[in-house]
Amino acid sequence: VRDPHGIEGPSGTTSGLGLLPVVTEMEGRKELCQAEAHVLLPPMVPEPVTVQGYEIHMGRTVSAGSYTPLGPGLDTSQGAASDDLGVWGTYYHGIFENDGFRRGFLDYLRKSRGLAPFRRQNSWREYRREQLDRLSQWLEDSLDMNIILRIVGI
C-alpha cells in the first residue's frame, strides 16, 4: 500500500497482507458509487453472474503479478483472485447479497471440501425483509410510541 500524499497517516509505503499480487496507491478522492459487474470465476461461478454492490475506496489498485480477474473485462480495480482461487478481493461491498454469486461461491467451497452443493436457494432480499419486519414488530410490541413521540415533541 502506497500513500505518497499522507492521506491515511504519514506518507510512505507499507506492506499489505501479501495475499494478492496487487499494489494499492492511496489517492485524495474517495470513490463512492453503486456498481455492477459480470463476474465469472470458473469453477466457482461457471456462468457469468451479474452482481451489484456499493463500491467504496480511496485509491487505485493495479496488478503486480499474475492474478485471475473476477470476470471478462474486469481488472484489479473491480477485484482479483489468486490464480488458485484461494484468495480474492473486491471493492464491491455487499457482493454476498447477490444470490447467484453467493450460491456459486459457497458451492465452490463445499465442493472443494467434498461436500454436496446446497439444494435450496435463499433470497438475501427476502431474508433481510423478514428480519426487518421482525425487528419492527418487536419495537412496536416493546415501545410506547406515545411516550417517544411526546419526548421528541411531536
Side-chain angles (χ1 to χ4, degrees):
V1 178
R2 298 179 186 152
D3 191 357
H5 309 292
I7 294 168
E8 291 290 319
S11 63
T13 299
T14 187
S15 297
L17 296 175
L19 299 175
L20 287 172
V22 297
V23 173
T24 299
E25 185 163 317
M26 302 301 290
E27 296 176 345
R29 186 175 143 251
K30 184 175 274 192
E31 187 73 34
L32 302 165
C33 64
Q34 291 294 115
E36 183 175 284
H38 304 287
V39 174
L40 176 62
L41 272 178
M44 188 180 296
V45 182
E47 297 178 14
V49 174
T50 301
V51 296
Q52 297 170 334
Y54 189 73
E55 187 175 350
I56 178 170
H57 60 94
M58 185 182 278
R60 185 174 49 90
T61 300
V62 296
S63 172
S66 178
Y67 74 96
T68 300
L70 292 184
L74 299 180
D75 60 23
T76 54
S77 68
Q78 286 93 14
S82 59
D83 285 334
D84 67 357
L85 300 182
V87 176
W88 62 276
T90 180
Y91 284 135
Y92 287 14
H93 295 251
I95 194 168
F96 287 110
E97 294 177 18
N98 294 270
D99 297 334
F101 176 81
R102 185 182 63 255
R103 174 58 37 228
F105 179 83
L106 291 174
D107 283 347
Y108 171 77
L109 293 177
R110 290 180 61 83
K111 288 177 192 175
S112 71
R113 294 190 178 46
L115 300 171
F118 283 114
R119 292 178 190 242
R120 191 178 76 182
Q121 286 271 12
N122 294 325
S123 166
W124 169 253
R125 284 189 169 94
E126 184 178 310
Y127 174 77
R128 181 176 53 201
R129 189 185 69 247
E130 288 169 359
Q131 297 308 305
L132 290 172
D133 287 347
R134 287 180 63 200
L135 175 61
S136 175
Q137 187 62 53
W138 178 81
L139 289 170
E140 187 177 314
D141 294 344
S142 303
L143 300 175
D144 186 333
M145 289 306 296
N146 292 324
I147 293 173
I148 292 174
L149 293 172
R150 193 170 53 240
I151 290 170
V152 296
I154 298 177

